[in-house]
Amino acid sequence: MAQSVRAAYHRAVISVASILRKAGAPAFLSTDPSTVRYCTGVSLSEGVLLITHAGISLYTDSRYIEEACCRVQQAGVSVHSIEDLRRRMQRIHMCAMQADRVFVQDHARWMRTYKNTKFIQTNGLIEGLRRKKSTDELREVRG
């Protein structure tokens, strides 16, 4: 398991600048479980992924903090309480999101909660990264 966490984080580190450049924004926000898992190596039913030039952050509620910390400890992804996301988003004025993977009610809530943030709709940023496999990833998949 630790190997797959490191591999997922390795892919994410390589692609952070690419994701933000392709998104045309200084931040990228996702609640999609498959995107969270790809970028952090952690499977959660409730989690928010925030990617900025400072790195990858995973925000979750108190039920999952300890589990998330244990699973990403070696990967270097920072884990925070979901309550900290509001404070962090106050400093982000433009943020990309996965338009095809965000529920309408979630987007509406983000617009109400993060009034100083302009959300840019993107599609396929992470999916495109998942399609490209490194030699290490191929070796891991083949076993």
Side-chain angles (χ1 to χ4, degrees):
M1 181 64 161
Q3 179 62 27
S4 67
V5 170
R6 281 194 292 274
Y9 182 68
H10 177 69
R11 290 190 308 268
V13 167
I14 291 171
S15 60
V16 165
S18 176
I19 290 169
L20 298 177
R21 185 175 53 256
K22 288 177 183 177
F28 176 81
L29 187 70
S30 179
T31 55
D32 176 54
S34 63
T35 298
V36 171
R37 185 177 54 251
Y38 177 79
C39 293
T40 68
V42 178
S43 295
L44 294 173
S45 59
E46 293 292 325
V48 178
L49 173 75
L50 179 64
I51 299 174
T52 66
H53 290 290
I56 299 172
S57 298
L58 176 60
Y59 295 85
T60 190
D61 67 33
S62 58
R63 296 175 293 167
Y64 303 109
I65 290 276
E66 187 175 336
E67 177 186 353
C69 286
C70 290
R71 292 189 181 215
V72 300
Q73 185 175 21
Q74 293 180 4
V77 175
S78 61
V79 178
H80 308 273
S81 169
I82 194 71
E83 290 81 21
D84 295 337
L85 181 60
R86 186 176 194 154
R87 186 173 45 251
R88 179 70 175 104
M89 289 298 292
Q90 287 176 348
R91 298 188 312 263
I92 297 173
H93 300 290
M94 189 175 2
C95 186
M97 63 175 200
Q98 289 178 290
D100 58 339
R101 296 187 180 248
V102 174
F103 290 112
V104 172
Q105 66 266 25
D106 288 339
H107 182 247
R109 182 173 33 85
W110 291 350
M111 297 290 287
R112 283 191 314 273
T113 305
Y114 312 126
K115 293 180 182 182
N116 294 329
T117 305
K118 176 183 178 182
F119 287 96
I120 299 170
Q121 298 182 12
T122 63
N123 291 307
L125 292 176
I126 303 298
E127 291 80 3
L129 294 174
R130 278 193 222 134
R131 284 187 209 113
K132 299 174 186 171
K133 302 292 182 215
S134 70
T135 305
D136 290 340
E137 289 176 278
L138 290 172
R139 196 173 340 177
E140 188 176 326
V141 169
R142 292 177 184 146

